[in-house]
Amino acid sequence: SDSALHRFVRPSQPDDMPSPQHHHSLFALGLGLALGLALPHVLRLRRRRGLGGSTVKAGLTDTRAVRLPRRVLTDFLAACFTAAGAAPAHAAQAADVLAYADSRGIPSHGANRADTYANEIEAKLVDGVASPVVERSSGCTAVIDGRNALGAVVCNLAMETALRLAKEHGVGVVAARNSNHFGAAGYWANQALSAGMIGLSFTNTAPFAAATGGCTRAVGTNPLCCFAPAAGGDSFQLDMATTVVPVGKVEVMHRIGQRIPAGWAVDRSGRDTTDPAEVVQHGALHPLGGGEETAGYKGYGLGMLVELLSAVLPGCADVGPAVQPWTLSRERPNGYGHCFVVLDPKRFTPGFGGRLREYLAAMRCLPGAVRCPGDPEKACEEEARARGVVLHEGTATALKALAGRYGVETPPEFAALDASRSKPSLYAQA
């Protein structure tokens, strides 16, 4: 019987005289086989080198993206927040948190938030000069009253307290209320990591996700985070939202003029949407896992767990659906709550760091392109140290416009940007 390749050969050609079409067919078949064998390897290399990054990070490799030293970015953001009305020391703390996120390749929690922070300070929705206090302390626990201060200021006091308690008791658990947006959760867990301890950080947020079975916003993006030190300078670094994505990623997609992927969110009618403005202003994110049929109830449950630790435990005035929306038109402060846990691994079975290093190594050695939580972000930090922090052009343009509002000198890296093309924060429009 004829082979499959004979289907590509004209019958009129002699058997010993392969036609040009025969050669072409063999070439096409060989090329297809070669691509099929090589493509998975190429894709693995792209993932390892960070070239196949997330949709939100895609614009960071654009030739129009802006790079600048982290210290320059931090000082610039601090100047903007000070001009908006924050105490200089408090402005510097908030700026450092945002610059940290951008240096880690997390634009959703970086300088993209700057105009929102400045707007809140100027509108007196956040008290840029207030100082939090330790309201009560008992054994290895404490409660912080944030007094509506900048979230970074509240969390610095909370982590200082948790670290002190952990050094004394082996564990420190600190909850805070009357606070505001605290930035990337990893920034706070990293403080414990730097002290050789395990750090966990949690926060509630304004409702952005629909509860499983519901159609209105009821749960925040409520991140959970755990950083743990391993021997040899290695570490486990998990920092994740309990929604499909944090809402900041939707904001970034709007900044760079892109639609969001299907499956991230629904519109005001509960239908899937790819319009970022509709999601931020009227729609809702899916909990981690998506709908009920894809186990989204697990992400919903994790979101409630974080709310319990961050808002119910410290006694926040508003919890869950009652938390004010994160907009300039809100009636009162958000009153967010946080929870921080610090564990000293030296108080447990000796050799924790070595065991964790072996575990991380075993995972990275699995077939494929396996990385551990935090590996991509560490690579971004290394690159930022060497080449500078990278910002989306849209974010950098918004920063230049923000500086113009307050008469703040812009970094020379922003010189070519046209501030008139800036897109205002979706939160200011919501």
Side-chain angles (χ1 to χ4, degrees):
S1 61
D2 291 339
S3 70
L5 286 177
H6 286 172
R7 288 180 298 164
F8 300 102
V9 182
R10 290 185 182 179
S12 61
Q13 291 290 334
D15 290 343
D16 60 346
M17 293 282 294
S19 71
Q21 289 84 356
H22 181 82
H23 287 303
H24 293 164
S25 300
L26 288 174
F27 175 76
L29 181 61
L31 180 61
L33 288 172
L35 286 174
L37 291 171
L39 190 57
H41 177 66
V42 171
L43 291 175
R44 282 197 296 271
L45 286 176
R46 284 176 59 85
R47 286 195 291 270
R48 284 174 178 162
R49 295 173 184 172
L51 299 178
S54 69
T55 305
V56 171
K57 292 182 182 179
L60 296 178
T61 59
D62 194 302
T63 55
R64 295 170 298 175
V66 176
R67 282 190 182 272
L68 69 169
R70 177 173 168 177
R71 174 45 56 190
V72 172
L73 176 61
T74 302
D75 291 345
F76 167 71
L77 294 174
C80 290
F81 298 153
T82 300
H90 294 183
Q93 292 178 56
D96 194 54
V97 177
L98 299 188
Y100 163 86
D102 280 317
S103 74
R104 301 260 293 176
I106 312 172
S108 58
H109 287 68
N112 173 64
R113 298 291 195 202
D115 54 353
T116 300
Y117 277 29
N119 289 338
E120 290 183 313
I121 295 167
E122 183 178 349
K124 308 298 183 185
L125 287 168
V126 173
D127 191 336
V129 300
S131 295
V133 296
V134 178
E135 184 177 70
R136 61 178 297 166
S137 182
S138 175
C140 64
T141 66
V143 178
I144 306 291
D145 181 355
R147 294 184 170 179
N148 196 35
L150 282 161
V153 178
V154 177
C155 295
N156 268 318
L157 175 60
M159 278 304 298
E160 289 172 6
T161 305
L163 283 165
R164 175 177 55 78
L165 293 172
K167 290 173 182 176
E168 180 180 353
H169 300 283
V171 60
V173 182
V174 178
R177 67 171 184 274
N178 294 330
S179 186
N180 289 286
H181 189 266
F182 84 165
Y187 184 92
W188 309 110
N190 192 60
Q191 292 187 7
L193 183 68
S194 298
M197 301 193 191
I198 300 169
L200 297 96
S201 57
F202 312 89
T203 185
N204 76 332
T205 74
F208 274 111
T212 300
C215 58
T216 59
R217 294 181 181 181
V219 186
T221 57
N222 295 10
L224 57 87
C225 175
C226 176
F227 281 19
D234 203 354
S235 58
F236 171 87
Q237 300 182 10
L238 174 69
D239 182 355
M240 54 173 274
T242 52
T243 45
V244 170
V245 292
V247 72
K249 287 193 175 183
V250 181
E251 168 85 349
V252 170
M253 295 296 280
H254 175 260
R255 290 263 197 225
I256 64 178
Q258 298 291 323
R259 310 288 289 188
I260 64 172
W264 278 16
V266 296
D267 62 17
R268 71 192 78 187
S269 301
R271 296 186 296 265
D272 281 338
T273 183
T274 60
D275 180 359
E278 170 67 19
V279 175
V280 173
Q281 296 174 339
H282 308 290
L285 295 170
H286 284 298
L288 187 64
E292 185 170 4
E293 66 281 359
T294 53
Y297 49 82
K298 296 180 180 179
Y300 165 49
L302 286 173
M304 288 191 66
L305 170 63
V306 174
E307 192 83 20
L308 182 158
L309 295 172
S310 303
V312 179
L313 187 63
C316 290
D318 296 323
V319 175
V323 178
Q324 288 287 291
W326 197 20
T327 65
L328 288 180
S329 60
R330 64 181 184 261
E331 299 174 357
R332 57 187 181 277
N334 283 119
Y336 292 154
H338 322 300
C339 183
F340 305 95
V341 180
V342 177
L343 298 166
D344 184 355
K346 292 188 295 295
R347 303 292 189 102
F348 295 82
T349 305
F352 171 81
R355 293 193 301 275
L356 179 56
R357 178 174 61 179
E358 292 175 0
Y359 177 38
L360 295 172
M363 298 304 293
R364 294 184 184 117
C365 288
L366 292 172
V370 178
R371 292 185 288 183
C372 293
D375 285 355
E377 290 76 15
K378 295 174 197 174
C380 285
E381 277 193 294
E382 287 295 326
E383 183 181 4
R385 276 191 284 270
R387 301 180 56 204
V389 175
V390 60
L391 302 176
H392 285 293
E393 181 189 31
T395 298
T397 301
L399 292 177
K400 186 171 185 177
L402 181 67
R405 272 176 52 191
Y406 294 116
V408 172
E409 182 179 356
T410 57
E413 291 83 356
F414 292 178
L417 300 174
D418 182 1
S420 67
R421 298 180 59 200
S422 169
K423 288 186 177 181
S425 169
L426 286 172
Y427 305 110
Q429 306 170 55

